[in-house]
Amino acid sequence: MPADPLNPATIPRLNGTDGIALAMAMTATHDLRLENDRIVRLPPQARGIFPLIDGKNTVADLAARLETRGVGADQFRAVWRETVETLTPTGLLSFTAGPS
């Protein structure tokens, strides 16, 4: 069974890129051009999430780090859900079950 990307214990991983490069690739209008020239639009706060995705941090770790930057839990959940829904089908974002 695949890991639930919305579960706080799940560990997200970027594939074929790192978070800093992905954040820098976003345009001022929050678009991201993919390898096949397809363009996806992400929430503005995704830029702050990407560098935290290292294959070790859980979703809960990401939320906690962003909370120290003023991103509340509800806002994080909304941004995370949209980011997951946008990037998972592209293969850039995948997940493994975290510690139980």
Side-chain angles (χ1 to χ4, degrees), residues 31-51:
D31 291 337
L32 180 66
R33 183 178 300 274
L34 304 175
E35 284 183 7
N36 59 2
D37 283 337
R38 183 173 150 222
I39 296 173
V40 295
R41 176 151 297 158
L42 294 156
Q45 298 86 352
R47 183 175 276 134
I49 294 173
F50 294 148

Side-chain angles (χ1 to χ4, degrees), residues 13-91:
R13 180 179 63 251
L14 293 170
N15 302 304
T17 189
D18 66 51
I20 293 172
L22 198 56
M24 291 177 61
M26 281 180 65
T27 68
T29 56
H30 320 297
D31 291 337
L32 180 66
R33 183 178 300 274
L34 304 175
E35 284 183 7
N36 59 2
D37 283 337
R38 183 173 150 222
I39 296 173
V40 295
R41 176 151 297 158
L42 294 156
Q45 298 86 352
R47 183 175 276 134
I49 294 173
F50 294 148
L52 304 176
I53 299 174
D54 61 2
K56 297 174 188 166
N57 284 317
T58 64
V59 172
D61 294 334
L62 302 180
R65 295 273 300 274
L66 289 173
E67 188 173 28
T68 66
R69 299 177 189 172
V71 178
D74 289 339
Q75 183 181 12
F76 173 80
R77 277 192 295 277
V79 168
W80 183 243
R81 178 180 299 277
E82 188 175 344
T83 301
V84 165
E85 290 171 355
T86 301
L87 289 186
T88 302
T90 70

